[in-house]
Protein backbone atom coordinates (compact mmCIF):
# COMPACT_ATOMS: atom_id res chain seq x y z
CA UNK A 1 0.00 0.00 0.00
CA UNK A 2 1.45 3.40 -0.93
CA UNK A 3 2.49 5.55 2.02
CA UNK A 4 3.65 9.10 2.65
CA UNK A 5 7.22 9.17 3.98
CA UNK A 6 9.51 11.89 5.24
CA UNK A 7 13.16 11.14 4.44
CA UNK A 8 15.59 13.27 6.43
CA UNK A 9 18.94 13.67 4.68
CA UNK A 10 17.13 12.83 1.45
CA UNK A 11 19.59 14.63 -0.84
CA UNK A 12 22.56 12.72 0.54
CA UNK A 13 24.11 9.70 -1.15
CA UNK A 14 22.05 6.95 0.50
CA UNK A 15 19.07 9.19 1.20
CA UNK A 16 18.62 10.23 -2.43
CA UNK A 17 18.93 6.66 -3.66
CA UNK A 18 16.27 5.66 -1.15
CA UNK A 19 13.99 8.52 -2.22
CA UNK A 20 14.29 7.48 -5.87
CA UNK A 21 13.36 3.91 -4.96
CA UNK A 22 10.40 4.94 -2.81
CA UNK A 23 8.99 7.14 -5.59
CA UNK A 24 9.48 4.35 -8.13
CA UNK A 25 7.61 2.01 -5.77
CA UNK A 26 4.64 4.37 -5.75
CA UNK A 27 5.11 6.15 -2.42
CA UNK A 28 4.67 9.86 -1.75
CA UNK A 29 7.92 11.36 -0.45
CA UNK A 30 8.86 14.53 1.36
CA UNK A 31 12.56 15.31 1.86
CA UNK A 32 14.09 17.39 4.64
CA UNK A 33 17.69 18.44 4.00
CA UNK A 34 19.77 21.59 4.26
CA UNK A 35 21.96 20.47 1.32
CA UNK A 36 25.11 21.13 3.36
CA UNK A 37 26.47 17.85 2.01
CA UNK A 38 23.68 16.73 -0.28
CA UNK A 39 22.25 18.10 -3.51
CA UNK A 40 18.78 17.81 -5.08
CA UNK A 41 20.41 16.79 -8.41
CA UNK A 42 20.99 13.38 -6.82
CA UNK A 43 17.23 12.81 -7.00
CA UNK A 44 17.53 12.63 -10.78
CA UNK A 45 14.32 12.12 -12.72
CA UNK A 46 12.13 11.89 -9.58
CA UNK A 47 13.01 15.39 -8.35
CA UNK A 48 9.71 16.85 -9.57
CA UNK A 49 7.75 14.08 -7.85
CA UNK A 50 9.24 14.91 -4.43
CA UNK A 51 8.26 17.62 -1.97
CA UNK A 52 11.61 19.13 -0.98
CA UNK A 53 11.79 21.05 2.30
CA UNK A 54 15.03 22.94 2.91
CA UNK A 55 15.82 22.90 6.61
CA UNK A 56 18.33 21.93 9.31
CA UNK A 57 17.69 18.74 11.25
CA UNK A 58 18.86 20.65 14.35
CA UNK A 59 15.91 23.08 14.01
CA UNK A 60 12.98 21.57 15.93
CA UNK A 61 10.41 23.84 14.28
CA UNK A 62 11.61 22.85 10.81
CA UNK A 63 11.59 19.16 11.70
CA UNK A 64 8.13 19.33 13.25
CA UNK A 65 6.74 21.08 10.18
CA UNK A 66 8.32 18.45 7.91
CA UNK A 67 6.92 15.55 9.97
CA UNK A 68 3.36 16.88 9.94
CA UNK A 69 0.98 14.70 7.95
CA UNK A 70 3.29 11.83 6.99
CA UNK A 71 2.77 8.13 7.70
CA UNK A 72 6.36 7.41 8.60
CA UNK A 73 9.79 8.99 9.06
CA UNK A 74 13.00 7.54 7.61
CA UNK A 75 15.78 9.33 9.50
CA UNK A 76 19.07 9.38 7.58
CA UNK A 77 20.33 12.92 8.24
CA UNK A 78 23.92 12.79 9.53
CA UNK A 79 27.42 14.09 8.87
CA UNK A 80 29.21 11.05 7.46
CA UNK A 81 32.73 10.60 6.08
CA UNK A 82 35.82 9.69 8.10
CA UNK A 83 37.46 13.01 7.28
CA UNK A 84 34.62 14.85 9.00
CA UNK A 85 34.82 12.64 12.10
CA UNK A 86 38.37 13.87 12.70
CA UNK A 87 37.99 17.48 11.53
CA UNK A 88 34.59 18.55 12.92
CA UNK A 89 33.47 16.12 15.62
CA UNK A 90 31.34 18.75 17.39
CA UNK A 91 29.18 19.18 14.29
CA UNK A 92 28.98 15.41 13.79
CA UNK A 93 27.65 14.99 17.32
CA UNK A 94 25.37 18.03 17.15
CA UNK A 95 23.67 16.87 13.95
CA UNK A 96 23.50 13.26 15.13
CA UNK A 97 22.18 13.70 18.66
CA UNK A 98 20.16 16.91 18.41
CA UNK A 99 18.72 15.70 15.12
CA UNK A 100 17.60 12.40 16.65
CA UNK A 101 15.94 14.15 19.58
CA UNK A 102 14.15 16.54 17.25
CA UNK A 103 12.84 13.71 15.08
CA UNK A 104 11.56 11.82 18.11
CA UNK A 105 9.89 14.90 19.60
CA UNK A 106 8.35 15.83 16.26
CA UNK A 107 6.99 12.33 15.70
CA UNK A 108 5.38 12.36 19.13
CA UNK A 109 3.90 15.83 18.76
CA UNK A 110 2.51 15.07 15.30
CA UNK A 111 1.30 11.56 16.11
CA UNK A 112 3.59 9.76 13.65
CA UNK A 113 4.12 6.26 14.98
CA UNK A 114 6.45 4.70 12.40
CA UNK A 115 10.16 5.54 12.54
CA UNK A 116 13.11 3.88 10.80
CA UNK A 117 16.58 5.05 11.83
CA UNK A 118 19.86 4.79 9.94
CA UNK A 119 22.62 3.84 12.38
CA UNK A 120 26.09 2.57 11.43
CA UNK A 121 28.58 -0.24 11.94
CA UNK A 122 30.73 2.49 13.54
CA UNK A 123 28.47 2.19 16.61
CA UNK A 124 30.34 -0.94 17.73
CA UNK A 125 33.73 0.11 16.33
CA UNK A 126 35.97 -2.96 16.82
CA UNK A 127 33.72 -6.04 16.78
CA UNK A 128 34.70 -9.06 18.90
CA UNK A 129 33.10 -11.43 16.36
CA UNK A 130 33.41 -11.37 12.55
CA UNK A 131 31.07 -11.72 10.68
CA UNK A 132 29.34 -9.55 13.23
CA UNK A 133 25.75 -10.03 14.45
CA UNK A 134 23.57 -7.15 15.63
CA UNK A 135 23.60 -8.05 19.32
CA UNK A 136 27.24 -7.35 20.14
CA UNK A 137 28.07 -4.50 22.57
CA UNK A 138 28.18 -0.97 21.18
CA UNK A 139 31.46 0.65 22.19
CA UNK A 140 33.24 4.00 22.23
CA UNK A 141 36.83 2.89 22.90
CA UNK A 142 38.31 6.34 23.57
CA UNK A 143 36.28 9.49 24.16
CA UNK A 144 39.40 11.59 23.42
CA UNK A 145 39.64 10.30 19.85
CA UNK A 146 37.45 12.50 17.59
CA UNK A 147 36.94 9.59 15.18
CA UNK A 148 34.35 8.20 17.58
CA UNK A 149 32.16 11.30 17.30
CA UNK A 150 30.17 9.56 14.58
CA UNK A 151 29.97 6.10 16.14
CA UNK A 152 29.14 7.74 19.46
CA UNK A 153 26.37 9.80 17.91
CA UNK A 154 24.88 6.66 16.36
CA UNK A 155 25.14 4.76 19.64
CA UNK A 156 23.29 7.58 21.41
CA UNK A 157 20.73 7.77 18.60
CA UNK A 158 19.99 4.06 18.92
CA UNK A 159 19.50 4.43 22.67
CA UNK A 160 17.19 7.39 22.16
CA UNK A 161 15.17 5.73 19.40
CA UNK A 162 14.72 2.47 21.27
CA UNK A 163 13.79 4.03 24.58
CA UNK A 164 11.55 6.81 23.18
CA UNK A 165 10.09 4.11 20.95
CA UNK A 166 8.94 1.92 23.81
CA UNK A 167 5.93 4.21 24.23
CA UNK A 168 4.03 6.34 21.74
CA UNK A 169 5.27 4.54 18.62
CA UNK A 170 3.81 1.66 16.65
CA UNK A 171 7.24 0.73 15.32
CA UNK A 172 10.80 1.88 15.64
CA UNK A 173 13.30 -0.06 13.52
CA UNK A 174 17.04 0.49 13.07
CA UNK A 175 19.37 -0.46 10.23
CA UNK A 176 23.17 -0.34 10.32
CA UNK A 177 24.73 0.09 6.86
CA UNK A 178 28.17 -1.40 6.25
CA UNK A 179 30.50 0.45 3.86
CA UNK A 180 28.02 1.43 1.17
CA UNK A 181 29.73 2.49 -2.06
CA UNK A 182 28.58 3.88 -5.36
CA UNK A 183 28.85 6.79 -7.76
CA UNK A 184 28.38 10.32 -6.41
CA UNK A 185 28.90 9.51 -2.74
CA UNK A 186 31.29 12.40 -2.10
CA UNK A 187 35.07 12.23 -1.93
CA UNK A 188 35.69 11.59 1.77
CA UNK A 189 35.29 7.79 1.60
CA UNK A 190 37.79 5.05 0.87
CA UNK A 191 36.78 4.09 -2.70
CA UNK A 192 36.63 7.67 -4.06
CA UNK A 193 39.81 8.55 -2.18
CA UNK A 194 41.61 5.53 -3.66
CA UNK A 195 40.47 6.50 -7.16
CA UNK A 196 41.63 10.10 -6.71
CA UNK A 197 45.04 8.98 -5.47
CA UNK A 198 45.35 6.27 -8.12
CA UNK A 199 44.69 8.73 -10.95
CA UNK A 200 47.27 11.14 -9.50
CA UNK A 201 49.83 8.35 -9.07
CA UNK A 202 49.29 7.08 -12.61
CA UNK A 203 49.86 10.60 -13.97
CA UNK A 204 53.19 10.69 -12.14
CA UNK A 205 54.20 7.15 -13.18
CA UNK A 206 53.48 6.73 -16.89
CA UNK A 207 55.24 3.34 -17.00
CA UNK A 208 55.74 0.38 -14.70
CA UNK A 209 54.06 -0.40 -11.36
CA UNK A 210 52.23 2.50 -9.76
CA UNK A 211 53.40 3.36 -6.20
CA UNK A 212 50.35 3.45 -3.93
CA UNK A 213 50.64 4.41 -0.26
CA UNK A 214 47.98 3.10 2.13
CA UNK A 215 47.31 3.43 5.85
CA UNK A 216 48.72 0.46 7.76
CA UNK A 217 49.92 -2.72 6.09
CA UNK A 218 46.78 -3.29 4.03
CA UNK A 219 45.68 -6.48 5.78
CA UNK A 220 42.72 -4.66 7.31
CA UNK A 221 39.47 -5.90 5.79
CA UNK A 222 36.13 -4.30 5.03
CA UNK A 223 32.92 -5.61 3.47
CA UNK A 224 31.53 -3.21 0.87
CA UNK A 225 27.93 -3.19 -0.30
CA UNK A 226 26.87 -1.58 -3.57
CA UNK A 227 24.31 1.20 -3.22
CA UNK A 228 21.69 -0.78 -5.18
CA UNK A 229 21.99 -3.72 -2.78
CA UNK A 230 21.99 -1.38 0.21
CA UNK A 231 18.72 0.20 -0.91
CA UNK A 232 17.18 -3.25 -1.34
CA UNK A 233 18.17 -3.97 2.26
CA UNK A 234 16.85 -0.69 3.62
CA UNK A 235 13.53 -1.13 1.82
CA UNK A 236 13.31 -4.61 3.31
CA UNK A 237 13.63 -3.07 6.78
CA UNK A 238 11.03 -0.41 5.95
CA UNK A 239 8.56 -2.99 4.66
CA UNK A 240 9.16 -5.90 7.05
CA UNK A 241 11.31 -4.77 9.96
CA UNK A 242 9.96 -5.51 13.43
CA UNK A 243 9.31 -3.05 16.25
CA UNK A 244 12.62 -2.45 18.06
CA UNK A 245 14.32 -4.62 15.44
CA UNK A 246 17.94 -3.88 14.50
CA UNK A 247 19.29 -5.06 11.14
CA UNK A 248 22.64 -5.07 9.41
CA UNK A 249 22.50 -3.90 5.80
CA UNK A 250 25.53 -5.03 3.87
CA UNK A 251 27.33 -7.69 1.91
CA UNK A 252 29.53 -10.02 4.01
CA UNK A 253 32.10 -10.38 1.20
CA UNK A 254 35.39 -9.21 2.78
CA UNK A 255 38.27 -7.59 0.95
CA UNK A 256 41.67 -6.57 2.32
CA UNK A 257 42.37 -2.87 1.89
CA UNK A 258 45.57 -3.63 -0.04
CA UNK A 259 43.57 -5.80 -2.43
CA UNK A 260 40.97 -3.06 -2.82
CA UNK A 261 43.75 -0.66 -3.81
CA UNK A 262 45.10 -3.19 -6.31
CA UNK A 263 41.64 -3.62 -7.83
CA UNK A 264 41.15 0.14 -8.19
CA UNK A 265 44.48 0.60 -9.96
CA UNK A 266 43.88 -2.49 -12.11
CA UNK A 267 40.50 -1.14 -13.27
CA UNK A 268 42.41 1.95 -14.41
CA UNK A 269 44.67 -0.29 -16.49
CA UNK A 270 47.79 -0.42 -14.32
CA UNK A 271 49.42 -2.51 -11.60
CA UNK A 272 49.75 -1.15 -8.07
CA UNK A 273 52.90 -1.30 -5.96
CA UNK A 274 51.42 -1.19 -2.44
CA UNK A 275 53.42 0.77 0.13
CA UNK A 276 52.54 0.47 3.81
CA UNK A 277 52.12 3.62 5.86
CA UNK A 278 51.19 4.55 9.42
CA UNK A 279 47.77 3.24 10.47
CA UNK A 280 44.93 5.66 11.19
CA UNK A 281 44.42 6.18 14.94
CA UNK A 282 41.37 4.22 16.05
CA UNK A 283 41.12 2.15 12.89
CA UNK A 284 39.55 -1.31 12.95
CA UNK A 285 41.39 -4.40 11.70
CA UNK A 286 38.43 -6.37 10.38
CA UNK A 287 34.76 -5.68 9.74
CA UNK A 288 32.04 -7.71 8.03
CA UNK A 289 28.33 -7.98 8.82
CA UNK A 290 26.34 -11.06 9.68
CA UNK A 291 23.18 -10.42 7.64
CA UNK A 292 21.20 -13.49 8.72
CA UNK A 293 18.56 -11.39 10.48
CA UNK A 294 17.83 -9.31 7.38
CA UNK A 295 18.16 -12.33 5.08
CA UNK A 296 15.36 -13.97 7.07
CA UNK A 297 13.15 -11.10 5.87
CA UNK A 298 14.02 -11.85 2.24
CA UNK A 299 17.17 -9.77 1.59
CA UNK A 300 20.00 -11.09 -0.58
CA UNK A 301 22.83 -8.89 -1.93
CA UNK A 302 23.21 -9.37 -5.68
CA UNK A 303 26.28 -7.34 -6.68
CA UNK A 304 29.74 -8.69 -5.73
CA UNK A 305 32.56 -6.18 -5.48
CA UNK A 306 34.16 -7.37 -8.72
CA UNK A 307 30.98 -6.42 -10.59
CA UNK A 308 30.08 -3.23 -8.74
CA UNK A 309 33.50 -1.61 -8.39
CA UNK A 310 34.48 -0.96 -12.04
CA UNK A 311 31.59 1.38 -12.81
CA UNK A 312 32.17 3.33 -9.61
CA UNK A 313 35.91 3.63 -10.25
CA UNK A 314 35.24 4.83 -13.79
CA UNK A 315 32.73 7.43 -12.52
CA UNK A 316 35.23 8.90 -10.08
CA UNK A 317 38.20 8.63 -12.42
CA UNK A 318 36.34 10.70 -15.00
CA UNK A 319 35.88 13.44 -12.42
CA UNK A 320 39.02 13.18 -10.28
CA UNK A 321 41.14 15.74 -12.08
CA UNK A 322 38.38 18.30 -11.55
CA UNK A 323 37.81 17.24 -7.93
CA UNK A 324 38.24 20.72 -6.45
CA UNK A 325 35.52 22.15 -8.70
CA UNK A 326 33.00 19.34 -8.18
CA UNK A 327 33.65 18.23 -4.63
CA UNK A 328 31.25 20.73 -3.14
CA UNK A 329 28.55 19.65 -5.57
CA UNK A 330 29.12 15.98 -4.73
CA UNK A 331 28.84 16.39 -0.99
Amino acid sequence: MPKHYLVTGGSGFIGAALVRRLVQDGHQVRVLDDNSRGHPRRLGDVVNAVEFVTGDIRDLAAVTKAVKGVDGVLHLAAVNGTKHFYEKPETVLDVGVRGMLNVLDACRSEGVGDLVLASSSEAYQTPPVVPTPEDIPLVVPDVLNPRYSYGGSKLISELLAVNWGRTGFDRVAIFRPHNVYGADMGWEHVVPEFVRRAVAAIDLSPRGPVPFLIQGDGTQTRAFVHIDDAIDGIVTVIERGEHLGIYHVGNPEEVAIADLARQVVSILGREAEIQAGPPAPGGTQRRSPDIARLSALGYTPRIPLKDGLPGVVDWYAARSRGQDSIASAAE
Side-chain angles (χ1 to χ4, degrees), residues 71-211:
D71 299 314
V73 174
L74 314 176
H75 179 41
L76 282 74
V79 178
N80 199 356
T82 306
K83 176 183 176 182
H84 299 312
F85 307 163
Y86 287 107
E87 293 183 359
K88 46 184 180 182
E90 181 178 351
T91 301
V92 170
L93 281 160
D94 193 30
V95 169
V97 178
R98 199 183 306 272
M100 183 76 260
L101 283 167
N102 284 347
V103 166
L104 289 163
D105 286 342
C107 284
R108 280 189 167 179
S109 70
E110 297 302 319
V112 177
D114 190 22
L115 171 64
V116 177
L117 165 67
S119 183
S120 170
S121 58
E122 291 279 340
Y124 53 73
Q125 186 46 34
T126 303
V129 178
V130 180
T132 304
E134 291 87 348
D135 56 1
I136 66 161
L138 305 187
V139 176
V140 175
D142 179 7
V143 296
L144 297 179
N145 187 334
R147 179 194 174 91
Y148 304 127
S149 56
Y150 183 71
S153 75
K154 291 301 187 181
L155 189 163
I156 296 167
S157 293
E158 288 198 23
L159 282 171
L160 290 169
V162 166
N163 288 291
W164 259 245
R166 294 184 196 280
T167 57
F169 284 84
D170 302 315
R171 179 187 68 157
V172 172
I174 297 169
F175 65 90
R176 296 179 187 151
H178 283 248
N179 290 95
V180 184
Y181 75 99
D184 202 4
M185 65 188 295
W187 290 92
E188 61 289 303
H189 303 273
V190 62
V191 171
E193 171 68 10
F194 274 16
V195 176
R196 181 189 65 79
R197 289 168 46 202
V199 169
I202 288 170
D203 286 349
L204 293 173
S205 304
R207 289 179 296 277
V210 178

Side-chain angles (χ1 to χ4, degrees), residues 249-306:
V249 171
N251 185 334
E253 175 194 5
E254 281 185 85
V255 61
I257 293 300
D259 288 337
L260 177 67
R262 292 187 186 98
Q263 289 184 47
V264 168
V265 176
S266 176
I267 290 166
L268 296 173
R270 298 289 295 278
E271 179 184 353
E273 179 184 293
I274 302 299
Q275 299 176 347
T284 300
Q285 181 62 28
R286 187 181 175 203
R287 187 175 284 163
S288 174
D290 181 336
I291 60 171
R293 188 178 290 181
L294 189 58
S295 295
L297 300 183
Y299 168 71
T300 303
R302 300 171 287 107
I303 305 172
L305 189 65
K306 68 179 179 61

